[in-house]
Amino acid sequence: MKFHLTVDNWTVQKADARAVRFDVFVIEQKIPVELEWDDMDEHCIHAVAYNEAGLAIGTGRLLPDGHIGRMAVRLAGRRQGIGAAILEALMAQARQRGDTEVVLNAQIHAEAFYGRHGFSRDGEEYYEAGIPHICMRHVFA
């Protein structure tokens, strides 16, 4: 699948990022909608991937403290490099602004994906919104 990626602020990315996150987290994973939205979005850098038809198919955000979060790819776009492109774009943004590391809270099923991008486990498994997670960290060389 061909896709293109945009990286911008919440004002620009809001509608498309929200649509992807709603489909993946609220509809597919059954996370309560009130747990999905917080007041941090407007302070983050957001990446959104679009398919050839212009439909938003993936998103993620970089928080001011170096956390990467809300990584989501719609089912039709999975296993095609979209998540990797989003992750790499957010990591590049972090490096560009001078962050020395990035941290994320990975759903356990995605641990291997993040491991392929240089992230390592940091701590014990825990539950968030009823889903097992692990904190992972990548230190820039």
Short mmCIF file of all heavy atoms in Angstrom, two decimals, residues 17-48:
data_model
loop_
_atom_site.label_atom_id
_atom_site.label_comp_id
_atom_site.label_asym_id
_atom_site.label_seq_id
_atom_site.Cartn_x
_atom_site.Cartn_y
_atom_site.Cartn_z
N ALA A 17 -6.37 12.55 13.05
CA ALA A 17 -5.81 11.76 14.15
C ALA A 17 -6.92 11.22 15.06
O ALA A 17 -6.89 10.05 15.46
CB ALA A 17 -4.83 12.60 14.96
N ARG A 18 -7.90 12.06 15.35
CA ARG A 18 -9.02 11.61 16.20
C ARG A 18 -9.79 10.47 15.54
O ARG A 18 -10.20 9.52 16.21
CB ARG A 18 -9.97 12.78 16.51
CG ARG A 18 -9.46 13.69 17.60
CD ARG A 18 -10.47 14.82 17.88
NE ARG A 18 -11.69 14.32 18.47
CZ ARG A 18 -11.95 14.31 19.78
NH1 ARG A 18 -11.05 14.77 20.63
NH2 ARG A 18 -13.09 13.85 20.23
N ALA A 19 -10.01 10.57 14.24
CA ALA A 19 -10.78 9.53 13.54
C ALA A 19 -10.07 8.18 13.61
O ALA A 19 -10.71 7.15 13.89
CB ALA A 19 -11.00 9.94 12.08
N VAL A 20 -8.76 8.17 13.39
CA VAL A 20 -8.01 6.92 13.47
C VAL A 20 -8.03 6.38 14.89
O VAL A 20 -8.30 5.19 15.12
CB VAL A 20 -6.55 7.12 12.99
CG1 VAL A 20 -5.72 5.86 13.26
CG2 VAL A 20 -6.52 7.47 11.51
N ARG A 21 -7.75 7.22 15.85
CA ARG A 21 -7.71 6.77 17.25
C ARG A 21 -9.07 6.27 17.71
O ARG A 21 -9.15 5.28 18.44
CB ARG A 21 -7.20 7.90 18.14
CG ARG A 21 -5.71 8.10 18.00
CD ARG A 21 -5.18 9.39 18.55
NE ARG A 21 -5.61 9.68 19.91
CZ ARG A 21 -5.28 10.81 20.54
NH1 ARG A 21 -4.52 11.72 19.94
NH2 ARG A 21 -5.71 11.03 21.77
N PHE A 22 -10.14 6.92 17.30
CA PHE A 22 -11.47 6.46 17.67
C PHE A 22 -11.72 5.06 17.12
O PHE A 22 -12.17 4.16 17.84
CB PHE A 22 -12.54 7.44 17.18
CG PHE A 22 -13.91 7.10 17.68
CD1 PHE A 22 -14.33 7.54 18.93
CD2 PHE A 22 -14.78 6.34 16.92
CE1 PHE A 22 -15.59 7.21 19.41
CE2 PHE A 22 -16.04 6.00 17.40
CZ PHE A 22 -16.45 6.45 18.64
N ASP A 23 -11.42 4.86 15.84
CA ASP A 23 -11.65 3.55 15.22
C ASP A 23 -10.82 2.45 15.90
O ASP A 23 -11.33 1.37 16.17
CB ASP A 23 -11.30 3.58 13.73
CG ASP A 23 -12.37 4.25 12.89
OD1 ASP A 23 -13.42 4.65 13.44
OD2 ASP A 23 -12.15 4.39 11.68
N VAL A 24 -9.54 2.72 16.14
CA VAL A 24 -8.65 1.69 16.67
C VAL A 24 -8.87 1.47 18.17
O VAL A 24 -9.04 0.34 18.62
CB VAL A 24 -7.17 2.02 16.37
CG1 VAL A 24 -6.24 1.04 17.08
CG2 VAL A 24 -6.93 2.00 14.86
N PHE A 25 -8.83 2.54 18.94
CA PHE A 25 -8.88 2.38 20.39
C PHE A 25 -10.30 2.21 20.93
O PHE A 25 -10.55 1.30 21.72
CB PHE A 25 -8.18 3.55 21.09
CG PHE A 25 -6.72 3.64 20.78
CD1 PHE A 25 -6.16 4.82 20.33
CD2 PHE A 25 -5.89 2.54 20.92
CE1 PHE A 25 -4.80 4.91 20.04
CE2 PHE A 25 -4.53 2.61 20.63
CZ PHE A 25 -3.99 3.80 20.18
N VAL A 26 -11.21 3.06 20.52
CA VAL A 26 -12.56 3.02 21.10
C VAL A 26 -13.40 1.91 20.47
O VAL A 26 -14.00 1.10 21.19
CB VAL A 26 -13.25 4.40 20.96
CG1 VAL A 26 -14.67 4.35 21.49
CG2 VAL A 26 -12.43 5.48 21.67
N ILE A 27 -13.43 1.83 19.15
CA ILE A 27 -14.27 0.83 18.48
C ILE A 27 -13.63 -0.57 18.54
O ILE A 27 -14.21 -1.51 19.06
CB ILE A 27 -14.56 1.23 17.02
CG1 ILE A 27 -15.26 2.58 16.94
CG2 ILE A 27 -15.36 0.13 16.30
CD1 ILE A 27 -16.64 2.63 17.59
N GLU A 28 -12.41 -0.69 18.01
CA GLU A 28 -11.78 -2.00 17.90
C GLU A 28 -11.34 -2.56 19.26
O GLU A 28 -11.62 -3.71 19.57
CB GLU A 28 -10.57 -1.90 16.97
CG GLU A 28 -9.85 -3.20 16.75
CD GLU A 28 -8.60 -3.05 15.90
OE1 GLU A 28 -8.54 -2.11 15.08
OE2 GLU A 28 -7.68 -3.87 16.07
N GLN A 29 -10.63 -1.75 20.05
CA GLN A 29 -10.08 -2.26 21.31
C GLN A 29 -11.01 -2.04 22.50
O GLN A 29 -10.68 -2.46 23.61
CB GLN A 29 -8.71 -1.64 21.57
CG GLN A 29 -7.70 -2.05 20.53
CD GLN A 29 -6.30 -1.54 20.84
OE1 GLN A 29 -6.08 -0.78 21.77
NE2 GLN A 29 -5.34 -1.97 20.04
N LYS A 30 -12.12 -1.37 22.28
CA LYS A 30 -13.15 -1.17 23.32
C LYS A 30 -12.63 -0.37 24.53
O LYS A 30 -13.07 -0.60 25.66
CB LYS A 30 -13.72 -2.50 23.78
CG LYS A 30 -14.14 -3.43 22.67
CD LYS A 30 -15.61 -3.41 22.45
CE LYS A 30 -16.07 -4.43 21.45
NZ LYS A 30 -16.00 -4.02 20.08
N ILE A 31 -11.71 0.55 24.29
CA ILE A 31 -11.23 1.42 25.36
C ILE A 31 -12.30 2.49 25.58
O ILE A 31 -12.78 3.09 24.60
CB ILE A 31 -9.88 2.05 24.98
CG1 ILE A 31 -8.81 0.94 24.94
CG2 ILE A 31 -9.49 3.17 25.95
CD1 ILE A 31 -7.47 1.38 24.40
N PRO A 32 -12.70 2.74 26.80
CA PRO A 32 -13.71 3.77 27.04
C PRO A 32 -13.28 5.12 26.47
O PRO A 32 -12.13 5.54 26.62
CB PRO A 32 -13.81 3.83 28.57
CG PRO A 32 -13.33 2.49 29.03
CD PRO A 32 -12.27 2.08 28.04
N VAL A 33 -14.20 5.76 25.78
CA VAL A 33 -13.88 7.01 25.08
C VAL A 33 -13.29 8.06 26.01
O VAL A 33 -12.40 8.82 25.62
CB VAL A 33 -15.11 7.53 24.30
CG1 VAL A 33 -16.20 8.04 25.24
CG2 VAL A 33 -14.70 8.59 23.30
N GLU A 34 -13.74 8.09 27.25
CA GLU A 34 -13.22 9.10 28.19
C GLU A 34 -11.75 8.85 28.55
O GLU A 34 -11.07 9.77 29.01
CB GLU A 34 -14.08 9.19 29.45
CG GLU A 34 -14.15 7.93 30.27
CD GLU A 34 -15.25 6.96 29.85
OE1 GLU A 34 -15.89 7.18 28.79
OE2 GLU A 34 -15.47 5.98 30.57
N LEU A 35 -11.25 7.63 28.33
CA LEU A 35 -9.83 7.35 28.58
C LEU A 35 -8.96 7.71 27.38
O LEU A 35 -7.74 7.86 27.52
CB LEU A 35 -9.62 5.88 28.94
CG LEU A 35 -10.25 5.41 30.24
CD1 LEU A 35 -9.96 3.93 30.45
CD2 LEU A 35 -9.77 6.23 31.41
N GLU A 36 -9.57 7.83 26.22
CA GLU A 36 -8.79 8.11 25.01
C GLU A 36 -8.38 9.57 24.89
O GLU A 36 -7.29 9.88 24.45
CB GLU A 36 -9.57 7.68 23.76
CG GLU A 36 -8.88 8.01 22.46
CD GLU A 36 -7.44 7.50 22.39
OE1 GLU A 36 -7.10 6.47 23.02
OE2 GLU A 36 -6.63 8.15 21.72
N TRP A 37 -9.23 10.48 25.28
CA TRP A 37 -8.94 11.90 25.06
C TRP A 37 -8.39 12.54 26.33
O TRP A 37 -8.87 12.29 27.43
CB TRP A 37 -10.20 12.63 24.61
CG TRP A 37 -10.86 11.91 23.48
CD1 TRP A 37 -12.13 11.42 23.45
CD2 TRP A 37 -10.29 11.55 22.22
NE1 TRP A 37 -12.37 10.78 22.27
CE2 TRP A 37 -11.26 10.84 21.48
CE3 TRP A 37 -9.04 11.74 21.64
CZ2 TRP A 37 -11.02 10.34 20.20
CZ3 TRP A 37 -8.81 11.24 20.36
CH2 TRP A 37 -9.80 10.56 19.66
N ASP A 38 -7.35 13.33 26.17
CA ASP A 38 -6.77 14.06 27.29
C ASP A 38 -6.42 15.47 26.83
O ASP A 38 -6.61 15.81 25.67
CB ASP A 38 -5.56 13.32 27.87
CG ASP A 38 -4.42 13.14 26.88
OD1 ASP A 38 -4.29 13.95 25.94
OD2 ASP A 38 -3.65 12.19 27.04
N ASP A 39 -5.90 16.26 27.73
CA ASP A 39 -5.58 17.64 27.38
C ASP A 39 -4.17 17.80 26.84
O ASP A 39 -3.70 18.93 26.63
CB ASP A 39 -5.81 18.57 28.58
CG ASP A 39 -4.92 18.21 29.77
OD1 ASP A 39 -4.23 17.18 29.72
OD2 ASP A 39 -4.95 18.97 30.75
N MET A 40 -3.48 16.71 26.57
CA MET A 40 -2.10 16.78 26.06
C MET A 40 -2.00 16.92 24.55
O MET A 40 -0.98 17.36 24.04
CB MET A 40 -1.30 15.57 26.53
CG MET A 40 -1.00 15.55 28.02
SD MET A 40 -0.21 17.08 28.61
CE MET A 40 1.31 17.08 27.69
N ASP A 41 -3.04 16.53 23.82
CA ASP A 41 -2.96 16.55 22.36
C ASP A 41 -2.51 17.90 21.81
O ASP A 41 -1.69 17.96 20.90
CB ASP A 41 -4.30 16.16 21.73
CG ASP A 41 -4.50 14.66 21.72
OD1 ASP A 41 -3.53 13.93 21.43
OD2 ASP A 41 -5.63 14.22 21.99
N GLU A 42 -3.03 18.97 22.36
CA GLU A 42 -2.69 20.30 21.82
C GLU A 42 -1.23 20.68 22.08
O GLU A 42 -0.73 21.63 21.49
CB GLU A 42 -3.62 21.35 22.37
CG GLU A 42 -3.57 21.51 23.86
CD GLU A 42 -4.73 22.33 24.40
OE1 GLU A 42 -5.86 22.21 23.88
OE2 GLU A 42 -4.48 23.10 25.34
N HIS A 43 -0.53 19.95 22.92
CA HIS A 43 0.88 20.22 23.23
C HIS A 43 1.83 19.28 22.49
O HIS A 43 3.04 19.37 22.69
CB HIS A 43 1.12 20.10 24.73
CG HIS A 43 0.21 20.96 25.54
ND1 HIS A 43 0.31 22.33 25.60
CD2 HIS A 43 -0.87 20.63 26.30
CE1 HIS A 43 -0.64 22.82 26.36
NE2 HIS A 43 -1.37 21.80 26.80
N CYS A 44 1.29 18.39 21.69
CA CYS A 44 2.09 17.33 21.04
C CYS A 44 2.34 17.62 19.57
O CYS A 44 1.63 18.39 18.94
CB CYS A 44 1.35 16.00 21.14
SG CYS A 44 1.17 15.38 22.82
N ILE A 45 3.34 16.92 19.06
CA ILE A 45 3.57 16.83 17.62
C ILE A 45 2.86 15.56 17.17
O ILE A 45 3.03 14.50 17.78
CB ILE A 45 5.09 16.73 17.32
CG1 ILE A 45 5.80 18.00 17.79
CG2 ILE A 45 5.32 16.47 15.84
CD1 ILE A 45 7.31 17.87 17.80
N HIS A 46 2.07 15.66 16.11
CA HIS A 46 1.28 14.52 15.64
C HIS A 46 1.71 14.11 14.24
O HIS A 46 1.91 14.97 13.37
CB HIS A 46 -0.21 14.87 15.62
CG HIS A 46 -0.75 15.16 16.97
ND1 HIS A 46 -1.37 14.21 17.73
CD2 HIS A 46 -0.75 16.29 17.71
CE1 HIS A 46 -1.74 14.74 18.89
NE2 HIS A 46 -1.37 16.01 18.90
N ALA A 47 1.81 12.81 14.02
CA ALA A 47 2.05 12.26 12.69
C ALA A 47 0.77 11.57 12.25
O ALA A 47 0.13 10.87 13.05
CB ALA A 47 3.21 11.27 12.73
N VAL A 48 0.39 11.77 10.99
CA VAL A 48 -0.77 11.09 10.43
C VAL A 48 -0.36 10.55 9.06
O VAL A 48 0.24 11.25 8.25
CB VAL A 48 -1.98 12.03 10.28
CG1 VAL A 48 -3.15 11.31 9.61
CG2 VAL A 48 -2.41 12.58 11.64
#
